[in-house]
Amino acid sequence: MKRFYKDVSVAETDLGWTVHLDGRPIKTQGGQPQVLPSEAMAEMLAAEWRAQGEKIDPASFRFRDMADYALDVVARDAESVIDKLVGYAETDTLCYRADPEEPLYRRQQEVWEPILAAMEAREGVTLHRVSGIVHKAQPATSLDTLRQRLAALGPFHLAALEQLTSLAASLCVGLEALEEAADGEGLWAAASLEEEWQADLWGREEEAEERRARRRGDFLAAMKFAGTAGEVAR
């Protein structure tokens, strides 16, 4: 699609912030007003529109797509998103370790345990650690507590958390990424620990490296998006 606008601006309304193309407010891909929770988020979306050349690149709208997903999907059916996120907690990557005698286990303990322990302390839950691939059900009380925690989040935080969690295969990492002082690079290193371990062991392929780089970019973008969605509800 050819670029069809010249000017990009943001404006505050009674409900929030909006992005305007040639003075006209943008709608979501679902057709409703795209009202954003902060000026910072509106400016991020506006920057994506300003960065377009003569032709619009749909793949370059990371923040627009997350905002539209929050408004068109999450706001209308938050329960389904919460169900999906709780499902990640039931089989959280950080809970499944290698056999204790393996070198990978020591690395997992070093990198994963501080993140998992911090999440447990902050959220008031306990999750089982498992060595090997045999599934062990997590405590129902912990899953219920996490569900209540997620229900307190607004659609923009939930949209970001869903992307963070799915990329990391870990709700623990996703929740940690919402914290104000979170280390994005460190969290992504934890999320990709096993994949990087295997790549170091067996060699690296160009396509796999490019795929990991894209996923890293998506993870860090979701963290940035969450950081402009306002204070995280407790």
Side-chain angles (χ1 to χ4, degrees):
M1 178 189 297
K2 288 188 63 177
R3 179 168 173 156
F4 56 88
Y5 58 91
K6 292 183 179 180
D7 181 63
V8 181
S9 60
V10 302
E12 187 176 16
T13 71
D14 292 338
L15 299 177
W17 290 84
T18 55
V19 179
H20 293 238
L21 303 180
D22 293 336
R24 298 175 181 175
I26 292 175
K27 291 187 177 182
T28 67
Q29 295 168 81
Q32 63 176 314
Q34 189 193 68
V35 181
L36 307 167
S38 71
E39 183 180 10
M41 184 179 290
E43 288 291 355
M44 284 199 319
L45 270 66
E48 291 180 330
W49 288 102
R50 293 187 184 110
Q52 300 302 309
E54 292 184 5
K55 290 187 177 181
I56 293 176
D57 176 14
S60 66
F61 288 95
R62 272 175 168 154
F63 300 126
R64 187 278 308 267
D65 288 349
M66 276 190 280
D68 287 358
Y69 181 74
L71 292 166
D72 290 338
V73 178
V74 182
R76 294 177 177 176
D77 190 9
E79 195 63 31
S80 292
V81 176
I82 291 171
D83 286 343
K84 181 179 179 181
L85 290 168
V86 172
Y88 276 103
E90 293 174 343
T91 57
D92 199 287
T93 293
L94 269 60
C95 293
Y96 283 81
R97 317 282 171 87
D99 291 330
E101 64 273 12
E102 295 181 12
L104 176 58
Y105 176 85
R106 293 192 292 274
R107 182 62 176 156
Q108 290 168 334
Q109 285 288 103
E110 176 187 347
V111 175
W112 287 355
E113 190 58 29
I115 298 171
L116 182 51
M119 188 282 294
E120 290 176 316
R122 186 176 61 246
E123 307 299 341
V125 300
T126 299
L127 297 180
H128 298 308
R129 282 72 160 162
V130 180
S131 287
I133 60 174
V134 177
H135 175 69
K136 184 174 183 179
Q138 296 294 353
T141 53
S142 292
L143 297 179
D144 288 343
T145 298
L146 288 172
R147 181 179 293 277
Q148 293 173 24
R149 163 79 165 95
L150 298 176
L153 298 176
F156 291 92
H157 281 120
L158 277 176
L161 181 59
E162 182 180 359
Q163 175 148 313
L164 291 163
T165 299
S166 62
L167 286 166
S170 169
L171 181 59
C172 295
V173 169
L175 286 171
E176 183 66 24
L178 294 186
E179 294 299 301
E180 186 175 356
D183 174 10
E185 293 289 356
L187 287 173
W188 180 247
S192 57
L193 185 152
E194 289 183 320
E195 192 173 3
E196 292 291 338
W197 182 276
Q198 294 298 326
D200 287 341
L201 188 62
W202 301 107
R204 296 179 178 273
E205 297 179 354
E206 183 176 353
E207 288 186 6
E209 292 297 300
E210 291 175 354
R211 184 168 59 252
R212 279 193 286 272
R214 287 195 299 269
R215 291 170 56 228
R216 170 185 169 275
D218 289 341
F219 184 89
L220 296 177
M223 281 191 68
K224 186 175 181 180
F225 182 86
T228 65
E231 186 175 349
V232 178
R234 297 294 181 187

